Amino acid sequence: MKATLDLPCNAYCGCYLLFNDNVLVYVGVSYDILFRMNAHRKNKIFNSIKYIDENDYLNAIQIENYYINEFKPKYNLSPAKLEYKRAVYGENFNIKKIPYPTGWNKKETI
């Protein structure tokens, strides 16, 4: 029998990158990346995953935006989150006012 590995739920939080044959095909953020992979397996083709550990939502979406804008993955069909928010709010856009989704740790400011 092969050895088993314990994978704690919610341990993998941040920005994740899905690759198919070493080509970046999707970038996303989640507070539970393992859970999100099950949803992506239904409608995306990928054979490897990398993630950037980031517990702060605003930092994670800034990383996500960079990769989406830089590499334009084929499954990221809508604009990156920050680009979308800027378009919606125009001059009133303020990154600090973006709400944190349930499950994310809000970074404490000093």
Side-chain angles (χ1 to χ4, degrees):
M1 177 183 248
K2 289 191 174 197
T4 61
L5 299 173
D6 289 328
L7 294 175
C9 293
N10 296 357
Y12 304 99
C13 177
C15 180
Y16 59 91
L17 303 99
L18 306 182
F19 292 86
N20 192 39
D21 296 331
N22 294 319
V23 174
L24 182 62
V25 294
Y26 186 78
V27 180
V29 296
S30 180
Y31 70 92
D32 187 346
I33 293 171
L34 290 176
F35 178 79
R36 286 294 294 141
M37 290 308 101
N38 287 328
H40 289 310
R41 290 187 198 285
K42 295 174 186 171
N43 61 4
K44 295 174 181 65
I45 298 169
F46 60 97
N47 54 22
S48 67
I49 304 162
K50 295 183 188 278
Y51 88 101
I52 300 163
D53 188 29
E54 179 55 68
N55 289 316
D56 183 77
Y57 179 68
L58 294 181
N59 290 341
I61 63 170
Q62 288 180 67
I63 294 167
E64 177 193 41
N65 270 264
Y66 167 77
Y67 281 101
I68 291 172
N69 291 329
E70 184 72 20
F71 297 100
K72 308 208 180 334
K74 74 177 186 176
Y75 293 127
N76 288 100
L77 303 177
S78 57
K81 287 180 186 72
L82 292 181
E83 301 305 318
Y84 174 77
K85 297 286 186 187
R86 281 189 182 101
V88 169
Y89 293 106
E91 292 178 9
N92 296 323
F93 174 78
N94 182 345
I95 192 169
K96 293 180 181 167
K97 291 186 178 180
I98 295 176
Y100 280 65
T102 303
W104 284 88
N105 297 328
K106 187 165 185 177
K107 189 175 184 180
E108 297 300 321
T109 55
I110 299 174

